[in-house]
Amino acid sequence: MQLEMMSADVVVIGAGVVGSAIARELSRFQLNVVLLERQADVACGTTKANTALVHAGYDADPGSWKAKLNVMGCAMYPRITAELGVAYRNTGSLVVALEKDQVEGLRFLRDRGIRNGVPGLEIIPHGKVVDLEPNISPAAVGALWAPSAGITNPWELAIACAENAAVNGVRVLLSSPVIGIDVENGRASVVKCPNCLVHTRFVVNAAGIDADEMSHMVGQTDYTISPRKGEYYLYDKRVGGYVRRPLFPVPTPFSKGIVVAPTVDGNMLAGPNSQQVDDKHDRATTAAGLAEVLSGALKLMPSLPTRESITNFTGLRAVAKPAGDFVIGPAPGVPNFINAAGIQSPGLTAAPAIAVAIRDLLSDAGLDLVERPDFNPIRKRPLQFAEMPREVQAELMEKNPLWGHIICRCESVTEAEIVEAIHRPVPCTTLDGIKRRTRAGAGRCQGGFCGPRVTAIISRELGIPMEEVTKKGGLSRILDGRTKQPLPDVEQDVEQDVEQDVEADGGEGALGNA
């Protein structure tokens, strides 16, 4: 492999929702920005598996990065999701007290939220809770109502930020893990990947659960990232209306508790639990963990339709130790290496605000920010067949027959949507990438029927053998090889066998001797 040499003003490491938001924010300025991602697609780490909530901001301690950026980010969501064509709903949220002695906990959260600047917080009685959530536990005695909270789609936001950044000039390099960073005269100077060397003036570390390893490369050892695992249930769309807004229990010192919430795509989810683990690759679900999730969810909603679960999954949260807060700022002694690390919950909510904070820190560190007159903040929402009126569907099918070819029956995803997703500004080459961009494979059958068809489309559009199509990059190939010969070859073999039998029988056919 030939090593590519390039230069940049800023290298952003990590294309999760935080790194992608930072890259997009920097694309407003006349800068040469490179976004590096070790996986085959954006949004493959913590971003792909979390609760997808926009938190109001009452959980974090006043004065912390979490508190400041949570409230700021929550307020930014209506604008940024509108600019980028990303699904978002301002639902509000409820923290539900199931016993009278938990009401004091609601008052504590309300008062802390007020100090953090959260608008509209109010403790409401049982009757009003039931009005808002008819399926809530009869044991609910009251709740903290947070009207500014909402729900969104985390990977949709990350993809949209990365695509908008790419359109505005950011170079996005996938499958490019950072294997080293040179430091010269106290400044990070070269970022090394197996396929490229990037000479740069500044580095932003947004590497999720691997952020401490990036910091170690420049000599920073004052924090570590400890993964905290959380397991989830996802429920079918036909029970998606069972809950109208995120429901939290009164939290513990270690977790916001097991949440029951709707998703912007019409499903319902429950989770996460909270387990400190040592392995940064431990994404296994366990019977005990899922039982814990179910038990917690049933306390909030005893009639939860548990038989409607369609899948379960695990996410890893990047917990920074010893601080526990976001690690934001320059590495000690390396002023041009800026951390956006330890981004656990409420990281999704805070992501747009973290991007602004990192921009300002880069400016403080000496990066000139000259606005681009041609910056385009708008990224149109990709057309989705299932969201269209029938007359629009018919019009598109008339122009392009691929709009009439349904590939995923669960989610009504057409071949046209999949082809369009493959050729967007940030390349999409995997089955998981197609699922995150179009929802093909995200329905009740979880890709059991559409997976082979999507594999064939990726093969055709990228011009690669089907055996090289992967689920999520690397060695995750879908197919290993043929298990049967094509029918025409079999017929040819039979004809050859018959001819040989005829010759051996002196001109009489084998069937004639039977």
Side-chain angles (χ1 to χ4, degrees):
M1 178 186 298
Q2 187 172 1
L3 199 62
E4 184 177 2
M5 309 290 285
M6 61 185 78
S7 60
D9 294 308
V10 185
V11 170
V12 180
I13 303 173
V17 70
V18 172
S20 297
I22 292 169
R24 189 230 182 196
E25 181 63 27
L26 295 178
S27 73
R28 298 175 183 273
F29 306 98
Q30 296 179 25
L31 297 171
N32 182 2
V33 180
V34 174
L35 176 60
L36 297 176
E37 170 54 48
R38 69 182 177 90
Q39 302 280 6
D41 198 1
V42 303
C44 286
T46 300
T47 301
K48 74 175 183 180
N50 57 70
T51 321
L53 304 182
V54 179
H55 292 280
Y58 48 75
D59 287 298
D61 292 331
S64 64
W65 278 113
K66 285 184 179 179
K68 175 184 175 184
L69 298 177
N70 184 159
V71 176
M72 180 178 169
C74 179
M76 294 173 70
Y77 258 79
R79 175 182 59 79
I80 195 169
T81 52
E83 288 179 348
L84 295 172
V86 173
Y88 162 75
R89 281 168 45 200
N90 174 212
T91 57
S93 67
L94 293 168
V95 182
V96 182
L98 298 174
E99 299 173 6
K100 287 185 178 179
D101 61 4
Q102 290 183 336
V103 174
E104 186 57 33
L106 299 184
R107 295 192 187 100
F108 175 80
L109 293 176
R110 179 196 59 191
D111 295 346
R112 186 165 62 186
I114 291 171
R115 292 201 299 277
N116 287 345
V118 180
L121 291 175
E122 178 186 1
I123 295 177
I124 59 175
H126 169 83
K128 196 167 182 180
V129 177
V130 174
D131 288 343
L132 291 171
E133 291 294 336
N135 296 310
I136 196 71
S137 169
V141 296
L144 175 64
W145 166 238
S148 60
I151 56 177
T152 190
N153 183 319
W155 55 81
E156 192 177 316
L157 179 58
I159 291 168
C161 285
E163 289 183 353
N164 187 241
V167 167
N168 284 296
V170 172
R171 186 168 182 183
V172 181
L173 300 181
L174 304 175
S175 300
S176 299
V178 173
I179 57 176
I181 301 173
D182 285 350
V183 178
E184 298 176 9
N185 300 320
R187 296 182 67 84
S189 57
V190 181
V191 179
K192 301 176 179 177
C193 300
N195 53 346
C196 65
L197 295 179
V198 189
H199 294 263
T200 185
R201 298 170 56 211
F202 293 86
V203 177
V204 175
N205 175 18
I209 61 171
D210 296 324
D212 54 346
E213 296 170 28
M214 301 299 109
S215 293
H216 291 170
M217 291 180 186
V218 300
Q220 182 180 12
T221 59
D222 59 346
Y223 78 95
T224 59
I225 297 295
S226 179
R228 185 178 292 163
K229 188 167 86 169
E231 295 161 89
Y232 293 86
Y233 276 101
L234 183 70
Y235 293 88
D236 194 29
K237 281 185 172 180
R238 62 188 180 189
V239 296
Y242 201 77
V243 62
R244 299 172 178 173
R245 53 190 52 76
L247 305 179
F248 297 86
V250 177
T252 71
F254 306 103
S255 168
K256 295 182 179 68
I258 292 167
V259 182
V260 180
T263 75
V264 288
D265 296 305
N267 300 91
M268 176 175 64
L269 63 76
N273 56 351
S274 178
Q275 306 171 58
Q276 207 68 47
V277 296
D278 296 325
D279 184 357
K280 290 185 175 181
H281 304 284
D282 180 5
R283 290 185 170 84
T285 54
T286 64
L290 291 172
E292 180 187 359
V293 170
L294 194 58
S295 174
L298 288 170
K299 289 177 182 175
L300 287 171
M301 305 192 84
S303 57
L304 189 78
T306 56
R307 293 173 62 87
E308 297 295 334
S309 169
I310 60 174
T311 189
N312 45 63
F313 61 92
T314 293
L316 294 176
R317 289 154 275 181
V319 180
K321 292 185 174 181
D325 197 3
F326 297 159
V327 178
I328 292 182
V334 191
N336 70 331
F337 183 91
I338 311 295
N339 286 297
I343 311 299
Q344 57 172 310
S345 179
L348 172 62
T349 309
I354 292 173
V356 172
I358 295 298
R359 176 202 68 192
D360 292 345
L361 286 166
L362 286 167
S363 177
D364 293 344
L367 181 66
D368 292 330
L369 299 177
V370 179
E371 291 190 3
R372 288 182 50 188
D374 58 345
F375 172 73
N376 180 8
I378 304 301
R379 177 247 189 198
K380 290 184 178 179
R381 181 172 177 78
L383 295 176
Q384 296 190 10
F385 188 81
E387 296 179 350
M388 299 173 185
R390 287 191 176 277
E391 56 271 23
V392 177
Q393 293 175 342
E395 183 180 340
L396 286 173
M397 284 187 281
E398 184 70 25
K399 294 178 180 177
N400 180 359
L402 295 186
W403 281 103
H405 187 198
I406 298 292
I407 299 298
C408 173
R409 295 180 181 179
C410 296
E411 298 290 322
S412 298
V413 179
T414 68
E415 185 171 354
E417 293 165 84
I418 294 170
V419 171
E420 188 271 344
I422 292 171
H423 299 293
R424 284 192 210 163
V426 175
C428 173
T429 61
T430 67
L431 254 69
D432 281 357
I434 293 295
K435 179 168 72 174
R436 296 190 189 108
R437 286 164 175 80
T438 69
R439 292 192 58 75
R444 190 173 182 81
C445 85
Q446 290 290 292
F449 288 97
C450 67
R453 294 181 176 183
V454 175
T455 301
I457 295 170
I458 293 174
S459 169
R460 182 192 73 205
E461 293 296 317
L462 298 182
I464 60 176
M466 289 182 66
E467 291 87 343
E468 293 186 12
V469 177
T470 66
K471 183 177 186 298
K472 54 183 179 181
L475 300 176
S476 62
R477 293 181 176 176
I478 306 299
L479 303 171
D480 187 54
R482 293 185 182 277
T483 57
K484 295 179 181 179
Q485 292 297 318
L487 189 56
D489 291 342
V490 174
E491 291 177 342
Q492 187 176 7
D493 291 343
V494 170
E495 290 173 0
Q496 289 175 349
D497 290 343
V498 170
E499 290 174 0
Q500 291 170 359
D501 289 342
V502 169
E503 291 174 359
D505 291 342
E508 295 186 9
L511 292 176
N513 293 335

